[in-house]
Amino acid sequence: QAYRYRLEMQGEVEQVFIHDSIYSYIVDLVDATRTSPYIELGVSPRGTIACVRMAKAYAYLSGRSYVIDLEGG
């Protein structure tokens, strides 16, 4: 029962909408970790995917079907 509920919730999280501008922001953020002289090892491709999933999950848990820009910019 709990496993089925978790799978259902994961499916709902996958349906959360992310605007292209948010995807661009995530790509810029990841790129900054890869080019910064202060960071030895930047975010990996899997880390980038995890960032997108985290944003979707946060939106879902906040009761939204879309990701918002928390910086307001």
Side-chain angles (χ1 to χ4, degrees):
Q1 177 85 12
Y3 178 73
R4 191 174 323 129
Y5 178 70
R6 191 181 98 204
L7 287 177
E8 182 181 315
M9 212 166 36
Q10 284 177 334
E12 291 173 0
V13 167
E14 288 177 16
Q15 298 304 313
V16 171
F17 175 76
I18 298 185
H19 191 273
D20 287 344
S21 64
I22 302 292
Y23 278 119
S24 293
Y25 177 78
I26 292 171
V27 168
D28 290 345
L29 181 65
V30 166
D31 186 53
T33 70
R34 294 175 181 168
T35 58
S36 172
Y38 303 105
I39 300 174
E40 190 171 321
L41 185 62
V43 176
S44 70
R46 287 184 185 175
T48 306
I49 294 168
C51 230
V52 169
R53 288 181 176 165
M54 180 276 313
K56 286 184 170 192
Y58 184 78
Y60 177 82
L61 292 173
S62 297
R64 292 187 313 276
S65 61
Y66 54 92
V67 175
I68 61 170
D69 177 1
L70 293 177
E71 287 192 357

